[in-house]
Amino acid sequence: MRKFCVYGKGGIGKSTIVSNIAAALAENGETIMVMGCDPKSDMTRNLVGKRLPTVLDLFRTEGPDRMKLDDVVFKGFNGVHCIEAGGPEPGVGCAGRGVITAVDMLDRIGVFDDIKPDTVIYDVLGDVVCGGFAMPLRQGLADDVYIVTTCDPMAIYAANNICKCIKRFADRGAVTLGGIIYNGRSVVDEPSIIDGFAARLGTKVLGRVPMSILIPRAELHRKTVIEYVPDSEIADTFRYLATAICENEDRVMPDPLSDDELDGINEEIEVLLREREETGSNLTGDV
Amino acid sequence: MDGGKFFGAFRASSGITDAVVLNHVPVGCNWGAAIFKTTSNQFDMRHACTVMHEREIVFGGEDALREALIRADELYDTPILLVIAGDAPSIIGDDVGAVVNSVTLDAEVMWMEAAGFKGSMRDGYEEALTHLAGLMNESDMIENSVNLIGFSPDDFKVDADVKEIKRLLRDAGVEVNSVISKCSLEQFKKAPAAELNVVLGQGSKLAEHMKIEFGVPYLEMEYPYGLEGTTQLTSAISEELGTGHEPEFDIEPFKKVYLYLHELYGTPVSIIGDFHAEAMANFLNWELGFNVEVSARNVDDYFEFEEGVRNSNTTILFGSSFEQNIARTLDIPLIRFCYPVFDNVCVYDDAPYAGFRGAVCLTEAIINTVMSYG
């Protein structure tokens, strides 16, 4: 069973990427399972076409003993098995503990034994604000981690933090970094900066998702681009990315950047931003 | 070893003998607090719990707290509900104050935050008492009266000790106004009527607060173990209040066991406990002539204490029920004298460890323990 996590700063496009990768992998007839580990619980919307009841919703209303597999696992596009961990309302409770509880519940009701997925993908809130959100990194849930980032300072900062977290658990025989996924929807679309960032971490950029108007269009219809525009170039981009991740064997223990090194990247972005503002060119490249 | 701030707040609060304490904590904390309290008074179950489970941790415990407040108000006939928010709600950030303000109940409600990780048991006790002082009323002073501060309802021998200290003070012409914290809400509210606060080991923050708020001066004294400790307490209070009382004590009971005491002279002992420990060590050392090999407070390094005892000639250990293991390992007797004692009961309120009678009872207990051991 291949299992990996996709992390990244909030709003960076993780859910879009995970749902499209899952849909693409399922085209090959494999059994795919995706689990959203973000209290927003909207990762699977594009696969199922609606918001799903979450594991923690059921845990709250029915309690842990009455929960059944069919209550929390739903089949989406191409037969992808979709699960949302869920979480508390904003401002109350402990969302990090929620991730741990949800994974425990899935284990308890035998999700992995029953479904026997070929591939499991976790979509995790990327700021790793507490131990709960690092849980998929610790307990052998995943083989490796893929970090989504744009070419924005805060996204790069968050990606670097996730690498610190991976490194923290290095001596426990835990997960490794599989690579970076670059989302071109950036303030300055400059892939070379992310190539450089990845190289300093000791990894590489495994795929680039360009800015495409087809992505928001598909999402307006609550669909992945694999379903909405299967013959498009952007759909193929996700297919390549899915294959690249599944076949990737180049896993590393990242070497996170220092604050000074991150400042250096910020300066590069600032210079580019100023140049492009002065020349009046499109900051984010062609759409 | 220290129970942390939650236990201190619980002990101070449950000392209001007609209050109901509502612990906003997972079940384990509530069970721990209960088991230490109810060993010697099994019907004194004046506390409720929100019983936070995983659901309350993930989604927040505010709904559970609201429901528990309403149910506790229905179930108990009490003038006041004291809500203590422990570790879990403090970590997840439950808005306890907002929940308390959102319900209208028959009972008065007061709440306090006391996460175990935010301080020691002593901190929790001191802060809770100072917080509870908000309930006190300005009162006309009752001459020659004192409040005794520093007690908890689950102290070993507390009923007997309080009774003995009251007896001694009454003989000295001094009335006890309130025992804190082991009195009713009404008695607690009228604590400012005392002419003097007497702090026995802990509660000095409340005494300082009452000095500023109500002008009640205070004395800080050691817990009155032994003849000397007791004399010091009654003399200091008499002097402060100007009653002119000269304490007298009866050494007749000790004469009866003089030969045993003579044989026990120089016995190596070790002692650990809360603030009671130092006063007990002084009694053992000065009055019984024991050699105190290791004397430690609960807040000290317990491992260091154990090592010290192992490397000493200790033949009797003085402490709490927590010292059972080390006493068994070293095959020496354990005399329990301070919190928590959960494997002995003390139901007879005329066999104190404090005061003159307490000195007799303690001496008897020590001699009997030695004679019957092994």
Side-chain angles (χ1 to χ4, degrees):
Chain A
M1 181 168 65
R2 178 81 172 88
K3 41 192 186 170
F4 58 89
C5 297
V6 176
Y7 273 81
K9 180 180 170 292
I12 209 72
K14 292 184 299 297
S15 298
T16 301
I17 289 169
V18 169
S19 56
N20 277 287
I21 290 174
L25 289 173
E27 287 180 327
N28 307 327
E30 289 184 10
T31 304
I32 309 297
M33 193 166 94
V34 291
M35 178 169 171
C37 298
D38 185 326
K40 286 207 314 289
S41 342
D42 58 356
M43 185 271 284
T44 54
R45 202 183 71 131
N46 295 338
L47 287 162
V48 189
K50 61 179 182 182
R51 190 180 277 273
L52 295 180
T54 70
V55 177
L56 291 175
D57 284 342
L58 264 292
F59 175 75
R60 184 179 200 180
T61 55
E62 301 293 323
D65 299 328
R66 290 192 199 162
M67 198 181 294
K68 297 191 299 292
L69 192 134
D70 292 345
D71 297 333
V72 290
V73 184
F74 300 87
K75 277 196 178 179
F77 176 69
N78 275 350
V80 174
H81 296 269
C82 300
I83 304 169
E84 288 287 356
E89 293 289 313
V92 294
C94 180
R97 179 66 218 178
V99 175
I100 297 169
T101 304
V103 173
D104 281 352
M105 286 300 116
L106 293 177
D107 202 30
R108 190 164 159 176
I109 59 178
V111 163
F112 300 102
D113 296 338
D114 272 33
I115 295 175
K116 296 186 175 59
D118 297 305
T119 303
V120 184
I121 313 172
Y122 297 92
D123 172 9
V124 194
L125 179 69
D127 294 321
V128 209
V129 286
C130 70
F133 292 99
M135 195 261 202
L137 300 178
R138 291 200 306 259
Q139 299 194 353
L141 287 183
D143 305 316
D144 50 358
V145 174
Y146 296 85
I147 303 174
V148 180
T149 184
T150 58
C151 189
D152 300 308
M154 292 316 293
I156 293 169
Y157 179 81
N160 196 55
N161 265 354
I162 296 157
C163 290
K164 283 183 184 172
C165 188
I166 295 170
K167 195 173 183 185
R168 172 177 293 274
F169 300 127
D171 58 352
R172 302 181 195 175
V175 300
T176 47
L177 178 63
I180 301 290
I181 300 169
Y182 174 54
N183 186 350
R185 200 188 62 192
S186 308
V187 61
V188 179
D189 183 7
E190 185 49 64
S192 67
I193 290 179
I194 302 304
D195 286 339
F197 171 58
R200 286 195 216 177
L201 289 170
T203 187
K204 63 185 182 227
V205 175
L206 218 66
R208 298 193 175 99
V209 179
M211 186 93 167
S212 167
I213 193 67
L214 292 173
I215 295 174
R217 273 194 192 153
E219 291 188 344
L220 281 171
H221 289 85
R222 299 180 179 181
K223 287 178 176 163
T224 59
V225 291
I226 303 288
E227 181 181 7
Y228 184 66
V229 279
D231 300 326
S232 62
E233 199 175 326
I234 190 71
D236 281 342
T237 301
F238 285 115
R239 291 186 182 105
Y240 294 138
L241 178 59
T243 307
I245 290 174
C246 282
E247 292 178 353
N248 179 38
E249 290 181 355
D250 191 9
R251 297 166 192 166
V252 299
M253 194 49 67
D255 189 13
L257 276 62
S258 66
D259 285 350
D260 285 345
E261 288 175 303
L262 287 173
D263 285 345
I265 292 178
N266 287 354
E267 281 166 24
E268 281 181 60
I269 295 171
E270 196 182 349
V271 169
L272 276 173
L273 195 60
R274 205 177 304 126
E275 281 174 7
R276 292 185 189 186
E277 277 171 346
E278 281 167 6
T279 58
S281 66
N282 189 334
L283 295 174
T284 54
D286 295 326
V287 174
Chain B
M1 280 195 288
D2 183 281
K5 203 169 169 184
F6 167 72
F7 271 68
F10 174 78
R11 298 182 70 201
S13 301
S14 60
I16 308 294
T17 51
D18 48 355
V20 168
V21 180
L22 173 55
N23 291 322
H24 185 33
V25 289
V27 68
C29 300
N30 187 57
W31 185 87
I35 199 67
F36 293 162
K37 183 164 90 70
T38 54
T39 311
S40 293
N41 192 351
Q42 294 168 353
F43 291 96
D44 189 21
M45 295 292 283
R46 293 171 293 102
H47 69 277
C49 180
T50 52
V51 196
M52 296 181 82
H53 279 118
E54 193 159 23
R55 184 166 52 185
E56 282 68 41
I57 306 299
V58 174
F59 292 99
E62 295 179 10
D63 290 344
L65 175 59
R66 190 174 295 107
E67 191 183 338
L69 276 165
I70 293 166
R71 293 186 67 182
D73 191 50
E74 285 169 2
L75 288 169
Y76 291 95
D77 179 17
T78 180
I80 190 164
L81 286 168
L82 300 173
V83 179
I84 306 176
D87 300 41
S90 301
I91 292 169
I92 65 175
D94 277 351
D95 191 345
V96 177
V99 176
V100 168
N101 291 333
S102 72
V103 292
T104 306
L105 305 175
D106 290 337
E108 189 177 354
V109 184
M110 182 174 256
W111 72 276
M112 58 196 89
E113 190 176 85
F117 55 82
K118 288 191 81 173
S120 64
M121 187 154 66
R122 171 76 178 264
D123 294 335
Y125 183 86
E126 299 277 358
E127 275 187 34
L129 284 188
T130 311
H131 193 66
L132 289 167
L135 296 164
M136 290 177 177
N137 300 322
E138 192 87 48
S139 311
D140 291 337
M141 190 186 77
I142 302 169
E143 273 191 29
N144 292 341
S145 71
V146 296
N147 296 320
L148 300 174
I149 302 176
F151 291 92
S152 296
D154 45 8
D155 283 331
F156 193 59
K157 295 277 183 186
V158 63
D159 289 324
D161 282 3
V162 167
K163 191 173 174 183
E164 168 67 357
I165 296 169
K166 279 184 173 178
R167 183 187 70 83
L168 290 161
L169 291 178
R170 202 175 300 120
D171 287 351
V174 177
E175 280 301 318
V176 173
N177 181 53
S178 303
V179 179
I180 295 171
S181 167
K182 196 169 183 343
C183 62
S184 68
L185 179 63
E186 277 311 305
Q187 288 168 323
F188 188 84
K189 283 182 175 178
K190 69 177 183 67
E195 191 176 345
L196 178 69
N197 275 327
V198 181
V199 178
L200 296 173
Q202 61 180 355
S204 45
K205 282 192 178 171
L206 172 67
E208 185 62 33
H209 176 84
M210 288 179 69
K211 184 180 173 186
I212 295 165
E213 288 295 312
F214 303 106
V216 182
Y218 67 94
L219 272 181
E220 288 189 271
M221 301 296 298
E222 279 198 351
Y223 201 77
Y225 287 126
L227 306 181
E228 181 63 27
T230 304
T231 306
Q232 281 178 4
L233 176 68
T234 52
S235 299
I237 293 172
S238 296
E239 191 180 325
E240 191 71 23
L241 296 178
T243 59
H245 173 77
E246 290 294 328
E248 290 174 19
F249 50 80
D250 178 11
I251 61 165
E252 284 304 314
F254 299 96
K255 287 182 179 170
K256 293 177 185 170
V257 290
Y258 177 76
L259 289 176
Y260 291 124
L261 284 176
H262 187 263
E263 288 303 312
L264 288 173
Y265 190 82
T267 300
V269 300
S270 286
I271 185 163
I272 187 166
D274 54 18
F275 61 88
H276 293 83
E278 199 170 330
M280 178 62 81
N282 289 341
F283 166 67
L284 299 174
N285 193 6
W286 297 341
E287 296 186 37
L288 296 189
F290 288 177
N291 283 341
V292 178
E293 303 257 316
V294 185
S295 177
R297 295 286 291 266
N298 288 337
V299 287
D300 297 341
D301 184 340
Y302 197 80
F303 180 74
E304 199 174 290
F305 168 75
E306 281 189 315
E307 279 299 297
V309 174
R310 279 200 182 89
N311 295 326
S312 72
N313 296 315
T314 300
T315 54
I316 309 174
L317 193 58
F318 289 79
S320 69
S321 297
F322 285 154
E323 278 66 62
Q324 279 180 77
N325 281 345
I326 178 172
R328 279 184 192 148
T329 307
L330 298 176
D331 196 17
I332 55 175
L334 167 66
I335 292 181
R336 296 152 179 83
F337 75 100
C338 77
Y339 177 89
V341 176
F342 45 80
D343 57 353
N344 270 202
V345 296
C346 51
V347 291
Y348 184 48
D349 68 1
D350 267 330
Y353 277 177
F356 293 147
R357 289 179 181 172
V360 179
C361 291
L362 253 176
T363 305
E364 187 179 274
I366 292 165
I367 293 172
N368 287 342
T369 301
V370 172
M371 288 176 75
S372 61
Y373 199 78

